Amino acid sequence: EIAAEIAQPEVVATPHAQEEINRQSIAVLPFENRSPVAEDEFFIDGIHDDLLTTLAAISGLKVISRTSVSRYEGSSLSMPQIAAELGVATIMEGAVQRAGNMVRINVQLIDAQTDEHLWAQIFDRELTTENLFAIQSEITENIAESLQAELTPEEAERVRSQPTHNLEAYSAYLRGMRALETREVGAMQNALTDLQRSVELDPDFALGWAGIAQVAEVLPSWGGMTRDEGKALSVPAAERAMELAPELGEANLALAMALEGDEALVQFQKAVDMLPNHAMAHQW
């Protein structure tokens, strides 16, 4: 686990030859925050991450990881330039504005070769989990349709699923998973608190349990807790996630991270099969 967490040298992106580019490849750039409240940044980043995770479960797509697209936040490069550096055929960009109990999400899918819009939509909805998940489902299905990536029945079910009906639990989950990615001990300890809060608010929130297991597996490698303390949290949390949603890729990933040896490798393969574009699943 420690080796997996060691930072790798930054790879300088170089333009890919046109013939190498997969026509079903996509990079979803970080969403612009148009909210006047700075604290909404985590919420908007979380929606972006959640959309990437949903897309990662679609085997017919090649999805660029959040780590790779994050360098283009606020970039002055053109869409074709960014696409050439990342080696993708399409780019999605978007913006989110949260105001009181309303949210506006503006997204557009761009053909990198022609710099023309394939699809664009503005969503103005009341801020509820039902609406947020419905918006993400519609975006995902339109991306798949535009790129001619056929969803399997299992993938379609996942895209249309609603992990929780509790908006506060979902917000705590987004905060926690965003903090986990920082790999800073204090932030990851806060992530654990947020994720534990998410399952207190919704005990049947499988993604929240999976998140707890993931944080508890990562923290010991960074000195945030002992390995025994981590296992005492990760194993029951992963098992609870699997009990609630055995078909959930994140639950399978959490269980794989909590296991050891050959048993873990078998479980990791299941997780990668369910989340073919998920960077963490491949990394571990």
Side-chain angles (χ1 to χ4, degrees):
E1 291 90 343
I2 293 174
E5 294 297 330
I6 295 175
Q8 298 297 315
E10 182 176 353
V11 177
V12 178
T14 57
H16 293 241
Q18 187 65 36
E19 61 270 19
E20 295 177 352
I21 296 178
N22 183 338
R23 296 307 302 171
Q24 294 177 316
S25 56
I26 182 171
V28 182
L29 300 184
F31 289 163
E32 178 187 350
N33 178 13
R34 292 183 179 170
S35 171
V37 181
E39 288 75 13
D40 284 344
E41 188 71 40
F42 87 86
F43 178 78
I44 293 165
D45 286 344
I47 291 176
H48 176 257
D49 289 350
D50 217 16
L51 177 60
L52 281 177
T53 302
T54 302
L55 290 170
I58 300 176
S59 57
L61 295 177
K62 173 190 172 184
V63 184
I64 302 299
S65 72
R66 192 200 65 79
T67 302
S68 295
V69 299
S70 63
R71 73 182 70 180
Y72 297 101
E73 185 170 6
S75 174
S76 61
L77 293 176
S78 68
M79 293 296 112
Q81 286 175 312
I82 294 173
E85 291 189 357
L86 291 172
V88 296
T90 50
I91 296 280
M92 170 165 278
E93 60 178 355
V96 181
Q97 182 174 358
R98 180 177 176 180
N101 67 339
M102 298 295 295
V103 64
R104 166 175 284 192
I105 300 178
N106 184 344
V107 291
Q108 47 192 353
L109 186 64
I110 301 165
D111 185 311
Q113 188 173 8
T114 63
D115 204 16
E116 295 179 352
H117 288 77
L118 297 173
W119 175 75
Q121 184 72 45
I122 297 176
F123 301 91
D124 281 309
R125 306 280 175 83
E126 183 182 359
L127 186 55
T128 66
T129 53
E130 288 80 4
N131 286 338
L132 285 176
F133 293 131
I135 291 170
Q136 289 189 37
S137 297
E138 186 170 339
I139 292 172
T140 301
E141 289 175 342
N142 274 282
I143 289 173
E145 181 179 354
S146 297
L147 302 188
Q148 298 180 344
E150 186 174 349
L151 301 178
T152 67
E154 294 79 13
E155 290 168 353
E157 183 178 355
R158 166 63 196 270
V159 166
R160 296 164 188 159
S161 67
Q162 183 168 335
T164 180
H165 295 275
N166 189 306
L167 182 60
E168 190 177 348
Y170 182 56
S171 295
Y173 169 77
L174 293 180
R175 271 196 308 272
M177 297 307 292
R178 186 71 183 87
L180 170 60
E181 292 187 356
T182 67
R183 293 303 193 262
E184 296 175 358
V185 173
M188 288 191 289
Q189 289 171 333
N190 290 336
L192 185 58
T193 299
D194 282 324
L195 290 163
Q196 288 173 327
R197 176 62 176 161
S198 76
V199 298
E200 288 174 4
L201 292 164
D202 181 359
D204 295 331
F205 189 15
L207 281 173
W209 289 108
I212 290 171
Q214 290 180 29
V215 175
E217 280 298 312
V218 172
L219 261 176
S221 297
W222 294 79
M225 63 175 55
T226 67
R227 174 57 59 192
D228 287 343
E229 289 171 336
K231 287 296 180 187
L233 284 173
S234 68
V235 174
E239 290 176 344
R240 177 61 175 156
M242 286 292 292
E243 177 186 350
L244 289 167
E247 76 293 341
L248 185 66
E250 289 90 335
N252 282 266
L253 173 58
L255 181 60
M257 292 171 70
L259 295 174
E260 304 283 350
D262 291 342
E263 194 177 10
L265 290 176
V266 171
Q267 190 62 41
F268 272 120
Q269 188 57 59
K270 291 182 181 179
V272 169
D273 289 343
M274 292 179 173
L275 299 170
N277 293 285
H278 197 289
M280 181 181 282
H282 286 283
Q283 176 193 25
W284 277 71

